[in-house]
Amino acid sequence: MTIKVVRGNPTPEELAAALAVVRARAAAAAALPSDAPTIPDAWSDPSRIAAHRVPRPGPASWSRTYWPGG
């Protein structure tokens, strides 16, 4: 694994801390069993976005498009 600093001038302590975090994350990912089910993140769940019913098209649908409540 190669790590390259592209901006700034980190001290040896800062670089060691960043490398420790990267190594810990890699070790944690390697320790997961390969048959473990993956759980999607909540922010990417489509039901969160489409939790409310969208108004159906009709003559007055433009008037309720962006108005809250009602």
Side-chain angles (χ1 to χ4, degrees), residues 46-58 61-62 64-66:
S47 66
R48 179 186 65 86
I49 297 168
H52 305 289
R53 227 177 117 154
V54 178
R56 298 192 78 157
S61 63
W62 65 269
R64 60 181 181 257
T65 304
Y66 295 107

Side-chain angles (χ1 to χ4, degrees), residues 8-28:
N9 190 14
T11 65
E13 293 82 14
E14 292 171 334
L15 198 52
L19 185 57
V21 170
V22 170
R23 282 187 166 181
R25 294 281 306 216

Side-chain angles (χ1 to χ4, degrees), residues 16-49:
L19 185 57
V21 170
V22 170
R23 282 187 166 181
R25 294 281 306 216
L32 287 176
S34 61
D35 61 344
T38 57
I39 301 171
D41 292 331
W43 68 267
S44 64
D45 184 11
S47 66
R48 179 186 65 86
I49 297 168

